[in-house]
Amino acid sequence: MPLELPQELWGSVVRFLSREDRKSCLFVSRVHRDISLSYLFSTVTLCFGLWRKDEGDYYTPASMMDPPLHEEMQCRSTTTWELLRHISCTPSFAKYVKRLAIRAYSTSDGVFELRNLEEALGALHNLRSFHWYGWFFLPQPFILDALARSSGHRVTDIRLPYGAALTPSLSKLRNIRVLRLVPDSSALPDHYEGPRDLTNSIEENHYRILTHLSVYPGSVIWEFPVRAFFGLQELEIVAANNLGGLTLVFHHCSALRFLALCAIEVATISNQLVPLLIASATALPDLTALKIICDCGDLEFFSPHELTFAVSTFLANKQRLRMLDLVLHRDPEVPGLPMWATLPQLPNLEVLGIDLQSPQWSEGDIRRLDECIPLRLSALLVHATVLGRLFESLTERHSPEWISLIRKRTSLGYLHILDEQGAMDLKQQLLEDHPDSLQLVGYGPCLRWILRDSDLDPGDNAEDAPARPYYSAMWPFEKVAHRTAEDFGCAEWEWLLRHHDHASLDDLAPGML
């Protein structure tokens, strides 16, 4: 039976199977095994050490770990070494690996780990993506040299903690289209601007083909020449204290579709961001996605009214905008109604993140919000950063109104609530009364799928009994911290939560689901 269909068709079938079903296909036939292996191991994650949410920038030595944690770390280390050796010694397996992610959380100096990784990279000739996470030890130039020798002409997607030692080797990867640069230390001082020779090592051909650029801290981006932005489709600037060059980007980046400005400092908001958005109101008419997350620690230095007006002005002609995520200010005395009024003017909006703030809420406020939010939304993130009596009224007095607002969005597949003070604890109500389309619910750093099962008694009729929804197990925090579009099953959902925890997972408002 397996051979009655062309192998290409079986590939299309296996592509849509779950990971567990793909594992089952390994034992059906040689054809199914080869196809399943190509999907099961197209992405490989190598874990050096054990990531832990509660330890921040520090790490507990193995000798001081609790026995269960020590056992888990040993198990992961064993799996990593076996994977590295299998890749190095089995070319027929190594050819399946197209995306490689490194999680460097070991307390060692990394010499042994890096040399084993270097050997494995020599066998990986089909890599398309190389992502590095963690600061406990850093990639060395010989790692990028090995990557360039084996897959330098194929690798298009790079995520690296940059440093002066890596920049010469980066130029050897000649086909980079997606470049994500993060600091080489988790303790990032305010004055840190990154290596000055970063752009000098990136050759001219990179600028012609670069389509996605993500830089943290964002001030490093102005080290790039203007020509680096000509072909950009996606630009992410995180933790910037200078947006002075953004005017040139708006003028020259005619192909830009995705723009993210995150963790923008207060002084930069007032002096640069507000006048820039107003002056560039007609720029980027084809923008598809916009994310602005302001770091509003002290409202003394800028006017929330001016910021709201500036963003509304900038959005006025963005008729093609499909994704919008805004965290503008945290002043409960400045209602969000002026910002909401802009939403109906965006006819293609489907993915939305909003910040709710107001000293009090009434049924009329919720009704006006309901009127402004498009019914066609597929994903909604609510950032409840409020003070005063609001957290008492959001659910205690108006829970039915909020559930009604959510239920009307019959295409809503993903809902996430970032709730600092328990203002929108709708978990149980959502489980009992939600749109049939809802698949994933997030509350702070906790994400769960909504599953449906008949949950029948032995005497019940399976055809008559409705499926009863229940929450899946919570995503492990490590998965949340290193989340990918594949984890969500939708790139737009991953985009919506992106950068809300740019410094650490603790940036997501606490919650339990």
Side-chain angles (χ1 to χ4, degrees):
M1 177 63 183
L3 299 179
E4 292 181 4
L5 290 177
Q7 186 168 338
E8 293 78 7
L9 291 182
W10 279 118
S12 298
V13 172
V14 174
R15 175 185 176 187
F16 293 100
L17 295 180
S18 67
R19 183 173 181 83
E20 293 303 316
D21 288 337
R22 288 172 182 170
K23 289 180 180 179
S24 299
C25 289
L26 294 173
F27 307 100
V28 175
S29 70
R30 183 181 297 273
V31 171
H32 286 80
R33 179 180 182 276
D34 291 342
I35 296 173
S36 299
L37 281 174
S38 68
Y39 283 100
L40 286 170
F41 293 99
S42 61
T43 299
V44 169
T45 299
L46 300 175
C47 298
F48 298 114
L50 189 63
W51 180 93
R52 292 176 64 187
K53 174 181 179 294
D54 57 343
E55 292 190 332
D57 301 334
Y58 304 96
Y59 199 83
T60 304
S63 59
M64 299 176 61
M65 283 186 178
D66 294 335
L69 284 176
H70 188 249
E71 182 178 348
E72 181 181 354
M73 188 180 71
Q74 286 185 320
C75 180
R76 287 199 177 193
S77 297
T78 300
T79 300
T80 297
W81 306 139
E82 289 177 348
L83 266 173
L84 286 169
R85 295 306 302 162
H86 195 50
I87 289 171
S88 301
C89 301
T90 315
S92 60
F93 173 79
K95 69 180 182 181
Y96 296 130
V97 183
K98 294 182 172 60
R99 293 174 292 276
L100 186 64
I102 310 298
R103 299 181 185 176
Y105 300 103
S106 171
T107 54
S108 72
D109 57 13
V111 173
F112 181 69
E113 292 90 339
L114 289 171
R115 287 304 177 183
N116 278 274
L117 177 60
E118 179 189 21
E119 181 180 356
L121 285 173
L124 294 173
H125 301 295
N126 290 320
L127 274 186
R128 306 295 195 273
S129 170
F130 181 82
H131 287 194
W132 188 282
Y133 300 89
W135 298 281
F136 289 90
F137 64 88
L138 298 172
Q140 299 301 309
F142 62 81
I143 292 295
L144 291 190
D145 291 343
L147 182 63
R149 288 193 300 269
S150 63
S151 299
H153 62 297
R154 295 184 184 274
V155 173
T156 60
D157 185 351
I158 288 286
R159 184 189 192 275
L160 283 176
Y162 54 77
L166 284 182
T167 49
S169 299
L170 189 61
S171 65
K172 299 176 183 179
L173 302 171
R174 301 177 178 273
N175 201 30
I176 298 177
R177 287 172 167 76
V178 178
L179 180 60
R180 299 177 175 93
L181 299 174
V182 297
D184 58 7
S185 171
S186 59
L188 185 65
D190 294 337
H191 64 272
Y192 185 81
E193 295 185 356
R196 289 287 177 179
D197 62 343
L198 175 66
T199 58
N200 296 333
S201 68
I202 300 180
E203 296 184 359
E204 184 69 25
N205 66 318
H206 283 125
Y207 297 137
R208 294 197 302 270
I209 64 176
L210 199 63
T211 61
H212 179 121
L213 181 60
S214 179
V215 180
Y216 172 36
S219 299
V220 175
I221 198 170
W222 310 129
E223 296 297 313
F224 288 80
V226 174
R227 64 183 182 277
F229 305 113
F230 288 169
L232 275 186
Q233 298 176 17
E234 301 184 42
L235 176 62
E236 298 180 334
I237 302 176
V238 183
N241 56 16
N242 178 14
L243 295 177
L246 204 55
T247 302
L248 292 176
V249 172
F250 282 5
H251 179 72
H252 292 288
C253 289
S254 58
L256 196 65
R257 299 294 181 268
F258 292 70
L259 175 63
L261 307 173
C262 302
I264 308 301
E265 297 179 356
V266 171
T268 306
I269 294 171
S270 177
N271 298 333
Q272 296 181 357
L273 181 60
V274 168
L276 172 66
L277 292 176
I278 295 175
S280 306
T282 59
L284 308 179
D286 296 327
L287 198 66
T288 301
L290 175 65
K291 183 187 292 281
I292 301 178
I293 300 177
C294 295
D295 184 8
C296 305
D298 192 342
L299 297 172
E300 178 182 350
F301 296 100
F302 86 106
S303 167
H305 293 280
E306 291 181 0
L307 179 59
T308 300
F309 173 76
V311 174
S312 299
T313 302
F314 184 75
L315 290 174
N317 73 327
K318 303 301 183 290
Q319 298 299 298
R320 298 189 179 182
L321 199 72
R322 294 185 56 253
M323 300 187 289
L324 177 65
D325 184 16
L326 300 175
V327 178
L328 300 184
H329 52 78
R330 300 185 178 185
D331 185 356
E333 300 301 325
V334 180
L337 292 177
M339 191 69 256
W340 304 343
T342 306
L343 302 180
Q345 303 174 25
L346 305 173
N348 294 304
L349 190 63
E350 296 180 358
V351 176
L352 177 63
I354 56 173
D355 193 10
L356 297 182
Q357 64 275 318
S358 178
Q360 294 188 62
W361 280 74
S362 65
E363 291 185 18
D365 293 329
I366 301 174
R367 184 166 55 251
R368 284 191 290 275
L369 179 62
D370 190 6
E371 294 170 352
C372 293
I373 296 179
L375 293 174
R376 60 184 172 276
L377 283 186
S378 62
L380 174 63
L381 183 146
V382 176
H383 200 287
T385 57
V386 293
L387 301 172
R389 288 170 290 174
L390 175 57
F391 76 92
E392 298 176 354
S393 63
L394 273 177
T395 56
E396 290 182 11
R397 287 186 283 175
H398 299 298
S399 177
E401 287 81 4
W402 288 109
I403 293 297
S404 175
L405 183 151
I406 294 169
R407 276 198 60 85
K408 291 179 183 178
R409 276 70 200 169
T410 56
S411 298
L412 190 67
Y414 170 42
L415 173 67
H416 202 120
I417 298 173
L418 300 180
D419 185 6
E420 294 183 351
Q421 297 179 341
M424 294 191 69
D425 189 356
L426 299 171
K427 298 184 294 294
Q428 189 57 39
Q429 295 96 318
L430 280 172
L431 192 60
E432 298 171 356
D433 191 8
H434 59 264
D436 293 338
S437 57
L438 192 62
Q439 303 175 46
L440 180 63
V441 174
Y443 190 70
C446 307
L447 288 95
R448 292 180 186 260
W449 297 102
I450 290 184
L451 305 177
R452 293 167 177 85
D453 195 346
S454 57
D455 193 21
L456 300 176
D457 292 326
D460 290 339
N461 188 330
E463 296 182 357
D464 297 333
R468 298 179 183 177
Y470 60 96
Y471 285 122
S472 71
M474 191 176 71
W475 287 21
F477 285 137
E478 184 173 7
K479 178 178 178 178
V480 178
H482 301 90
R483 59 191 178 272
T484 65
E486 288 74 20
D487 294 324
F488 285 87
C490 178
E492 296 175 348
W493 297 1
E494 186 277 329
W495 177 90
L496 185 58
L497 191 57
R498 190 187 305 173
H499 298 310
H500 283 278
D501 57 341
H502 75 276
S504 75
L505 195 62
D506 290 332
D507 284 354
L508 297 179
M512 295 193 65
L513 186 59

